Amino acid sequence: MTATSLQPQALRLPRDLALITVAIDAAMMLVNMAAQLWPDSPEAEQLRSAYALPGVWIPMVCSIAMGWVLAAAMAWSHGRNALERHGAVSVARLPQPRIRYAAAYLVVLLLNFYALSPLLYDLQLLFMPGGRFHESLGYTSMRAAMPVFMFLQSMAQLIVLVLGIWLSAWIALRGARAGSAEVQADESLQGPPPRRAVALVAASVFASLQMWSGAAVSRWSSMTQGLDGPALLVAWVVPPLAAFGLAFWGAWLGAAPVFSRVRPFRAVGASVLAFVLVQLLCIAAALAWLAMAVWLHGFNSAGSLVGFALALVLVYTVLTVVLTRATTRGLYRRYL
């Protein structure tokens, strides 16, 4: 078959990379769960009892789902970026890019599972009761240090995920070359500028950061200890979904139609920068509100607390959309 006849298959590459990524992640999770819950394993009964608790399986399922969304978005954006840079004709000439991507991504996951995860777990044990840091820092300091470590652990895994998918896509798509004539010939096949890809990556990263930071804060403040069942599910599902929708809207507004390429790392950088700015400004707004309330009359009623919470939600909503739009436009402006 000629390269021209394979162009439709090449144009499906972004979707295929996303599906391959989720399929490999799901297979690795099923193998891991089967090994843990196998009846002959010594801790199978204890793990089954633990996984049956809503406080265990709800955070685990939400974290896994968020990781899959982020991984699929990154893989899809790299496939889209390859089509934009090289054109469908050049991508169609690549020998088995999907198989090469699957093999490379599987190696990345195995290294992550058997090298990085055990290392992070050993470090986490230092913060647990009886660990080295627990004896030297004390209980109060440990309560503050443990959530920080959990958040840094999530950041390390995020970095490994982003770089691992980039490396897998680079291995699968290396060798693609496109001359100017080929790119011009493919412009009619590529569709509109890649606003959706940019917004999807930015929203996925933002929502992942929001979920992991929320988990760290709840671990430190015990916010979700009294929740069970549906209330716990709402607490873990609604905030990331809201953060995803707001960040997608902001990145969509920032990714103007004149952008010519996805550039996934630019979308990741814009999302991380927007997330940090949103958290800092929300904290500053909350402190200013509290200081003003104490100076005037204080929180002397339930209505004041409800008003404070609603105002903070409104500030978060506006800042997420505005700052994601600003950071996306700012980081992509140099490529206009």
Side-chain angles (χ1 to χ4, degrees):
M1 299 178 67
T2 64
T4 303
S5 62
L6 291 176
Q7 283 187 34
Q9 183 178 359
L11 293 174
R12 292 194 298 269
L13 180 66
R15 181 204 63 183
D16 293 344
L17 294 185
L19 293 177
I20 290 171
T21 301
V22 175
I24 294 177
D25 282 335
M28 286 288 295
M29 184 204 69
L30 291 176
V31 171
N32 183 34
M33 294 292 291
Q36 291 181 353
L37 302 179
W38 193 257
D40 295 335
S41 60
E43 300 178 352
E45 185 64 30
Q46 182 180 358
L47 289 174
R48 281 196 291 267
S49 300
Y51 287 152
L53 299 174
V56 175
W57 72 263
I58 290 178
M60 181 179 66
V61 170
C62 292
S63 299
I64 291 173
M66 192 72 257
W68 289 359
V69 171
L70 177 58
M74 290 298 304
W76 186 73
S77 66
H78 281 294
R80 174 64 187 257
N81 193 36
L83 289 174
E84 292 163 355
R85 286 189 298 139
H86 306 303
V89 172
S90 182
V91 172
R93 296 196 184 105
L94 292 174
Q96 303 297 332
R98 293 161 180 80
I99 295 178
R100 288 196 291 172
Y101 175 83
Y105 187 62
L106 180 60
V107 172
V108 168
L109 282 188
L110 291 174
L111 291 176
N112 185 20
F113 182 77
Y114 290 107
L116 178 63
S117 295
L119 175 62
L120 293 176
Y121 180 74
D122 292 338
L123 292 176
Q124 184 177 358
L125 292 179
L126 299 177
F127 295 88
M128 301 297 288
R132 183 182 305 174
F133 292 160
H134 181 264
E135 297 177 357
S136 59
L137 296 179
Y139 177 76
T140 304
S141 300
M142 287 301 303
R143 284 196 64 195
M146 188 63 184
V148 173
F149 174 78
M150 290 179 58
F151 183 73
L152 294 178
Q153 177 181 350
S154 299
M155 293 304 97
Q157 293 176 333
L158 172 63
I159 294 172
V160 170
L161 174 64
V162 171
L163 294 181
I165 293 178
W166 165 78
L167 178 62
S168 302
W170 179 81
I171 292 174
L173 302 172
R174 65 176 180 175
R177 298 290 184 268
S180 58
E182 291 174 331
V183 174
Q184 292 175 1
D186 288 335
E187 284 179 350
S188 61
L189 298 175
Q190 292 180 17
R195 299 179 69 184
R196 184 173 60 177
V198 173
L200 184 61
V201 172
S204 301
V205 174
F206 194 98
S208 299
L209 293 173
Q210 185 63 60
M211 171 177 283
W212 293 330
S213 62
V217 170
S218 64
R219 178 69 175 269
W220 173 69
S221 60
S222 301
M223 294 172 56
T224 59
Q225 276 191 352
L227 300 181
D228 194 12
L232 188 62
L233 185 62
V234 170
W236 272 90
V237 171
V238 173
L241 284 179
F244 184 93
L246 293 172
F248 188 94
W249 183 18
W252 177 269
L253 296 175
V258 293
F259 293 157
S260 59
R261 294 183 185 176
V262 173
R263 300 186 182 272
F265 287 110
R266 293 282 165 180
V268 172
S271 183
V272 172
L273 179 58
F275 177 81
V276 173
L277 293 175
V278 167
Q279 307 311 309
L280 293 177
L281 291 177
C282 282
I283 292 174
L287 293 177
W289 183 291
L290 289 172
M292 185 173 59
V294 171
W295 181 56
L296 293 177
H297 53 76
F299 290 117
N300 53 10
S301 65
S304 300
L305 293 175
V306 172
F308 170 74
L310 292 177
L312 194 59
V313 170
L314 179 61
V315 170
Y316 176 87
T317 300
V318 174
L319 287 178
T320 299
V321 176
V322 172
L323 291 178
T324 307
R325 178 186 182 276
T327 55
T328 303
R329 181 168 294 276
L331 289 179
Y332 277 82
R333 184 177 297 163
R334 68 184 62 183
Y335 299 108
L336 291 178

Short mmCIF file of all heavy atoms in Angstrom, two decimals, residues 139-168:
data_model
loop_
_atom_site.label_atom_id
_atom_site.label_comp_id
_atom_site.label_asym_id
_atom_site.label_seq_id
_atom_site.Cartn_x
_atom_site.Cartn_y
_atom_site.Cartn_z
N TYR A 139 5.39 14.13 66.47
CA TYR A 139 4.08 13.90 65.85
C TYR A 139 3.57 15.13 65.11
O TYR A 139 3.06 15.03 63.99
CB TYR A 139 3.08 13.49 66.93
CG TYR A 139 1.68 13.30 66.42
CD1 TYR A 139 1.34 12.17 65.68
CD2 TYR A 139 0.70 14.27 66.65
CE1 TYR A 139 0.06 12.00 65.19
CE2 TYR A 139 -0.58 14.10 66.17
CZ TYR A 139 -0.90 12.97 65.44
OH TYR A 139 -2.17 12.81 64.95
N THR A 140 3.72 16.32 65.73
CA THR A 140 3.18 17.53 65.10
C THR A 140 3.88 17.84 63.80
O THR A 140 3.24 18.15 62.78
CB THR A 140 3.31 18.72 66.06
OG1 THR A 140 2.66 18.41 67.29
CG2 THR A 140 2.69 19.97 65.45
N SER A 141 5.18 17.76 63.78
CA SER A 141 5.93 18.02 62.55
C SER A 141 5.66 16.97 61.50
O SER A 141 5.63 17.26 60.31
CB SER A 141 7.43 18.10 62.85
OG SER A 141 7.72 19.12 63.77
N MET A 142 5.44 15.73 61.95
CA MET A 142 5.16 14.65 60.99
C MET A 142 3.82 14.88 60.28
O MET A 142 3.68 14.57 59.11
CB MET A 142 5.15 13.31 61.71
CG MET A 142 6.54 12.83 62.12
SD MET A 142 7.64 12.65 60.73
CE MET A 142 6.73 11.50 59.73
N ARG A 143 2.83 15.42 60.99
CA ARG A 143 1.53 15.69 60.37
C ARG A 143 1.66 16.71 59.24
O ARG A 143 0.91 16.67 58.27
CB ARG A 143 0.54 16.20 61.41
CG ARG A 143 -0.01 15.14 62.34
CD ARG A 143 -1.22 15.66 63.04
NE ARG A 143 -2.29 15.92 62.09
CZ ARG A 143 -3.37 16.64 62.37
NH1 ARG A 143 -3.51 17.19 63.56
NH2 ARG A 143 -4.30 16.84 61.46
N ALA A 144 2.60 17.64 59.38
CA ALA A 144 2.82 18.63 58.33
C ALA A 144 3.72 18.09 57.23
O ALA A 144 3.55 18.43 56.06
CB ALA A 144 3.42 19.90 58.93
N ALA A 145 4.68 17.24 57.60
CA ALA A 145 5.65 16.74 56.61
C ALA A 145 5.06 15.66 55.72
O ALA A 145 5.37 15.58 54.52
CB ALA A 145 6.89 16.20 57.32
N MET A 146 4.17 14.82 56.26
CA MET A 146 3.63 13.71 55.49
C MET A 146 2.81 14.17 54.29
O MET A 146 3.00 13.66 53.17
CB MET A 146 2.79 12.81 56.41
CG MET A 146 2.34 11.52 55.75
SD MET A 146 3.74 10.49 55.29
CE MET A 146 2.91 9.15 54.45
N PRO A 147 1.87 15.13 54.43
CA PRO A 147 1.16 15.60 53.23
C PRO A 147 2.07 16.23 52.20
O PRO A 147 1.84 16.08 51.00
CB PRO A 147 0.15 16.61 53.80
CG PRO A 147 -0.01 16.25 55.21
CD PRO A 147 1.32 15.73 55.65
N VAL A 148 3.08 16.97 52.66
CA VAL A 148 4.02 17.57 51.71
C VAL A 148 4.73 16.48 50.92
O VAL A 148 4.90 16.57 49.70
CB VAL A 148 5.03 18.47 52.45
CG1 VAL A 148 6.11 18.96 51.49
CG2 VAL A 148 4.31 19.65 53.08
N PHE A 149 5.15 15.42 51.62
CA PHE A 149 5.82 14.32 50.92
C PHE A 149 4.87 13.65 49.94
O PHE A 149 5.26 13.28 48.83
CB PHE A 149 6.34 13.31 51.92
CG PHE A 149 6.91 12.07 51.27
CD1 PHE A 149 8.17 12.09 50.69
CD2 PHE A 149 6.16 10.90 51.20
CE1 PHE A 149 8.67 10.95 50.07
CE2 PHE A 149 6.65 9.77 50.58
CZ PHE A 149 7.93 9.80 50.02
N MET A 150 3.60 13.46 50.34
CA MET A 150 2.63 12.84 49.44
C MET A 150 2.44 13.66 48.18
O MET A 150 2.37 13.11 47.07
CB MET A 150 1.30 12.66 50.16
CG MET A 150 1.29 11.60 51.25
SD MET A 150 -0.32 11.49 52.05
CE MET A 150 -1.37 11.11 50.64
N PHE A 151 2.38 14.99 48.34
CA PHE A 151 2.22 15.84 47.17
C PHE A 151 3.46 15.78 46.28
O PHE A 151 3.36 15.70 45.05
CB PHE A 151 1.95 17.27 47.60
CG PHE A 151 1.70 18.22 46.46
CD1 PHE A 151 0.51 18.18 45.76
CD2 PHE A 151 2.66 19.14 46.07
CE1 PHE A 151 0.26 19.03 44.71
CE2 PHE A 151 2.43 20.00 45.02
CZ PHE A 151 1.23 19.95 44.34
N LEU A 152 4.67 15.81 46.89
CA LEU A 152 5.89 15.70 46.11
C LEU A 152 5.99 14.34 45.42
O LEU A 152 6.50 14.24 44.29
CB LEU A 152 7.11 15.93 47.01
CG LEU A 152 7.25 17.35 47.60
CD1 LEU A 152 8.46 17.42 48.51
CD2 LEU A 152 7.34 18.39 46.49
N GLN A 153 5.51 13.31 46.08
CA GLN A 153 5.48 11.99 45.45
C GLN A 153 4.58 11.99 44.23
O GLN A 153 4.93 11.41 43.18
CB GLN A 153 5.00 10.95 46.47
CG GLN A 153 4.87 9.54 45.91
CD GLN A 153 4.37 8.56 46.95
OE1 GLN A 153 4.30 8.88 48.13
NE2 GLN A 153 4.01 7.37 46.52
N SER A 154 3.43 12.63 44.33
CA SER A 154 2.53 12.73 43.18
C SER A 154 3.18 13.54 42.05
O SER A 154 3.03 13.21 40.88
CB SER A 154 1.21 13.38 43.60
OG SER A 154 0.56 12.62 44.59
N MET A 155 3.92 14.61 42.41
CA MET A 155 4.59 15.40 41.39
C MET A 155 5.67 14.57 40.67
O MET A 155 5.83 14.68 39.46
CB MET A 155 5.24 16.63 42.02
CG MET A 155 4.26 17.65 42.58
SD MET A 155 3.06 18.22 41.35
CE MET A 155 1.66 17.15 41.73
N ALA A 156 6.39 13.75 41.44
CA ALA A 156 7.40 12.89 40.82
C ALA A 156 6.76 11.91 39.84
O ALA A 156 7.26 11.68 38.74
CB ALA A 156 8.18 12.14 41.90
N GLN A 157 5.63 11.33 40.24
CA GLN A 157 4.94 10.41 39.35
C GLN A 157 4.37 11.12 38.13
O GLN A 157 4.32 10.56 37.03
CB GLN A 157 3.85 9.68 40.12
CG GLN A 157 4.40 8.73 41.18
CD GLN A 157 3.31 8.08 42.01
OE1 GLN A 157 2.24 8.63 42.18
NE2 GLN A 157 3.60 6.90 42.53
N LEU A 158 3.91 12.37 38.32
CA LEU A 158 3.43 13.16 37.17
C LEU A 158 4.56 13.42 36.19
O LEU A 158 4.38 13.28 34.97
CB LEU A 158 2.85 14.47 37.67
CG LEU A 158 2.46 15.49 36.59
CD1 LEU A 158 1.36 14.94 35.69
CD2 LEU A 158 2.03 16.81 37.22
N ILE A 159 5.73 13.79 36.70
CA ILE A 159 6.88 14.04 35.82
C ILE A 159 7.27 12.78 35.07
O ILE A 159 7.54 12.81 33.86
CB ILE A 159 8.06 14.59 36.64
CG1 ILE A 159 7.71 15.97 37.21
CG2 ILE A 159 9.32 14.66 35.80
CD1 ILE A 159 8.74 16.51 38.17
N VAL A 160 7.29 11.65 35.78
CA VAL A 160 7.64 10.38 35.13
C VAL A 160 6.62 10.03 34.06
O VAL A 160 6.97 9.55 32.97
CB VAL A 160 7.76 9.27 36.18
CG1 VAL A 160 7.89 7.90 35.52
CG2 VAL A 160 8.96 9.52 37.08
N LEU A 161 5.33 10.26 34.35
CA LEU A 161 4.29 9.96 33.36
C LEU A 161 4.44 10.81 32.11
O LEU A 161 4.41 10.30 30.98
CB LEU A 161 2.92 10.18 33.99
CG LEU A 161 1.71 10.05 33.06
CD1 LEU A 161 1.60 8.63 32.53
CD2 LEU A 161 0.43 10.46 33.78
N VAL A 162 4.63 12.12 32.31
CA VAL A 162 4.75 13.02 31.16
C VAL A 162 5.98 12.68 30.33
O VAL A 162 5.91 12.57 29.09
CB VAL A 162 4.80 14.49 31.64
CG1 VAL A 162 5.14 15.42 30.49
CG2 VAL A 162 3.47 14.89 32.26
N LEU A 163 7.12 12.49 30.98
CA LEU A 163 8.35 12.18 30.24
C LEU A 163 8.29 10.77 29.65
O LEU A 163 8.84 10.54 28.56
CB LEU A 163 9.55 12.31 31.18
CG LEU A 163 9.86 13.72 31.69
CD1 LEU A 163 11.09 13.71 32.58
CD2 LEU A 163 10.05 14.68 30.52
N GLY A 164 7.65 9.84 30.35
CA GLY A 164 7.56 8.47 29.82
C GLY A 164 6.73 8.40 28.55
O GLY A 164 7.10 7.72 27.59
N ILE A 165 5.61 9.11 28.53
CA ILE A 165 4.78 9.12 27.32
C ILE A 165 5.51 9.84 26.19
O ILE A 165 5.45 9.43 25.03
CB ILE A 165 3.42 9.75 27.61
CG1 ILE A 165 2.63 8.85 28.57
CG2 ILE A 165 2.63 9.99 26.33
CD1 ILE A 165 1.28 9.39 28.95
N TRP A 166 6.20 10.94 26.53
CA TRP A 166 6.97 11.64 25.50
C TRP A 166 8.05 10.72 24.92
O TRP A 166 8.23 10.66 23.69
CB TRP A 166 7.63 12.88 26.08
CG TRP A 166 8.71 13.43 25.19
CD1 TRP A 166 8.54 14.17 24.07
CD2 TRP A 166 10.12 13.22 25.33
NE1 TRP A 166 9.76 14.45 23.50
CE2 TRP A 166 10.74 13.88 24.25
CE3 TRP A 166 10.90 12.53 26.26
CZ2 TRP A 166 12.13 13.87 24.09
CZ3 TRP A 166 12.28 12.54 26.10
CH2 TRP A 166 12.87 13.20 25.03
N LEU A 167 8.77 9.99 25.77
CA LEU A 167 9.82 9.09 25.29
C LEU A 167 9.23 7.98 24.43
O LEU A 167 9.78 7.64 23.38
CB LEU A 167 10.57 8.50 26.48
CG LEU A 167 11.68 7.50 26.14
CD1 LEU A 167 12.78 8.16 25.31
CD2 LEU A 167 12.27 6.90 27.42
N SER A 168 8.10 7.42 24.86
CA SER A 168 7.47 6.36 24.07
C SER A 168 7.02 6.88 22.72
O SER A 168 7.20 6.20 21.69
CB SER A 168 6.27 5.79 24.84
OG SER A 168 6.66 5.30 26.10
#
